[in-house]
Amino acid sequence: MRVTNKMIAQTVLNNLAANLNRLQKLQDQMSSLHVVSKTSDDPMIATRVVTLNSVLKQHDQYEQNISDAKNWIETTESTLGNVTDALQRAREQAVYGANGTLDQTSREAIAQEIDNIFDNIVQLANTNFAGRYIFGGTKTTTKPFESDGEYKGNEGKEGELKWEISQKVEMIVNIDGKKVFGDTSAAGDNGIFTVLNNLRAHLRSGDTQAVSNTDLGELDRVINGILNLRASLGAKANRLETATSQSGGERTNYEALLSKLNDVDLAKVVTDFSMQENVYQAALSTGARIILPSLVNFLT
């Protein structure tokens, strides 16, 4: 087989191109610190890297949801704590107002204090977190309670706010506002606002028997109801802490796997790059010597 200058030159160029590609790949690894920067580098590794990155992004969202849920629950618990304090104050006033020897002027002053407590609890019932009302169900952009205690939010299953805190795991983070405070417009309502309405009405009418025999017991009932709701919030907060710990552990494992799979050994890559650079320079030098002058070079 006759070897021509053109064949020699093409072989040299092909080898130089291969050396240059290897040099470029090492350069990419040094600059990105990753084994693969595009799918063609290693399709199998690239596919696994894409999958792991997708899983880590999901964990980012789960952790954001958990953080938001914690803040929502903390806001709710704090609000219910303030409601409890207000109801305790109302109970103290009711005990004082149930005194049969008290004059009606004093009972009217107590009723006015109950008015203030009522307004304060309405304000608490309209608490919002990050611009979203926490007791309105899914109607988070409008006030759930009117000034008279009428409920405008939605309730039950329709009003549940569910946030995904892990794969296929959801948590209901809100509490039904009607369940907490009641709805003065609903027939047979016996919520907080109705209890306070009855108390101030009995104080203004001088019905001390109703205050002592009915209103005090009703106040105890709604206070216990709030305490039970706060206990359920505590259980949810504990569950979120567990979810945070679990998500953190999983994230650490996935990040370690991704690092093992795609992070380069920088010292090794730098050494390989230096070696490949020398190979490339040697190939250039050798190629220049191999490509001998042809007859054309001697034609003058």
Side-chain angles (χ1 to χ4, degrees):
M1 176 180 177
R2 180 172 176 269
V3 179
T4 65
N5 283 4
K6 182 177 180 181
M7 293 172 60
I8 294 173
Q10 189 61 51
T11 300
V12 169
L13 291 175
N14 290 341
N15 290 336
L16 287 173
N19 287 331
L20 192 59
N21 284 336
R22 286 192 288 271
L23 198 61
Q24 181 62 49
K25 182 176 181 179
L26 291 169
Q27 174 65 43
D28 289 343
Q29 290 180 355
M30 282 195 301
S31 60
S32 68
L33 299 180
H34 292 151
V35 174
V36 296
S37 56
K38 53 185 180 294
T39 305
S40 59
D41 291 339
D42 190 320
M44 183 175 295
I45 291 180
T47 300
R48 295 178 66 187
V49 167
V50 169
T51 300
L52 287 171
N53 280 328
S54 176
V55 170
L56 287 171
K57 286 181 180 179
Q58 287 180 346
H59 273 270
D60 288 341
Q61 186 60 59
Y62 295 148
E63 288 169 5
Q64 182 61 54
N65 290 347
I66 291 171
S67 177
D68 289 344
K70 282 182 178 180
N71 291 331
W72 187 286
I73 287 174
E74 287 172 1
T75 301
T76 305
E77 204 286 328
S78 175
T79 301
L80 293 184
N82 291 332
V83 171
T84 303
D85 293 341
L87 290 173
Q88 292 286 8
R89 174 63 179 165
R91 191 185 189 285
E92 292 171 4
Q93 294 299 304
V95 170
Y96 184 46
N99 187 344
T101 63
L102 203 65
D103 60 71
Q104 188 55 34
T105 301
S106 298
R107 275 193 285 271
E108 176 62 31
I110 294 173
Q112 290 178 4
E113 174 68 14
I114 300 303
D115 289 341
N116 293 331
I117 292 173
F118 186 100
D119 293 341
N120 181 35
I121 294 180
V122 169
Q123 185 177 0
L124 291 170
N126 287 323
T127 297
N128 71 78
F129 167 69
R132 303 172 70 190
Y133 292 100
I134 63 177
F135 294 116
T138 55
K139 296 180 179 180
T140 59
T141 58
T142 56
K143 285 185 177 181
F145 287 94
E146 299 288 353
S147 60
D148 62 355
E150 181 181 356
Y151 185 58
K152 294 296 187 179
N154 50 13
E155 57 185 293
K157 293 287 185 182
E158 182 184 351
E160 291 178 349
L161 290 176
K162 296 180 180 179
W163 291 348
E164 191 172 11
I165 59 174
S166 184
Q167 188 173 15
K168 297 182 179 179
V169 177
E170 293 181 331
M171 173 182 281
I172 301 171
V173 299
N174 67 321
I175 295 180
D176 187 335
K178 185 175 181 180
K179 182 179 179 181
V180 179
F181 301 98
D183 181 0
T184 55
S185 66
D189 179 68
N190 63 349
I192 290 173
F193 295 126
T194 296
V195 169
L196 293 175
N197 274 335
N198 292 338
L199 173 59
R200 60 186 176 181
H202 293 150
L203 287 167
R204 288 192 165 100
S205 66
D207 190 351
T208 56
Q209 290 296 315
V211 173
S212 60
N213 294 335
T214 303
D215 296 332
L216 283 172
E218 286 295 282
L219 282 169
D220 287 338
R221 178 182 61 79
V222 293
I223 289 172
N224 287 332
I226 295 294
L227 292 177
N228 289 334
L229 289 173
R230 293 176 68 184
S232 70
L233 288 174
K236 288 185 177 182
N238 290 337
R239 182 182 174 191
L240 288 172
E241 288 296 337
T242 301
T244 300
S245 177
Q246 180 179 350
S247 180
E250 291 176 354
R251 169 180 287 281
T252 299
N253 291 336
Y254 286 128
E255 287 177 343
L257 181 58
L258 183 60
S259 176
K260 183 178 180 181
L261 185 67
N262 198 32
D263 286 356
V264 299
D265 182 342
L266 188 57
K268 181 177 183 302
V269 171
V270 169
T271 301
D272 290 347
F273 180 84
S274 179
M275 183 181 299
Q276 188 61 45
E277 188 177 29
N278 290 333
V279 169
Y280 181 66
Q281 293 296 334
L284 284 174
S285 177
T286 303
R289 295 176 182 178
I290 290 178
I291 301 176
L292 298 176
S294 67
L295 181 61
V296 176
N297 295 103
F298 297 97
L299 296 177
T300 57

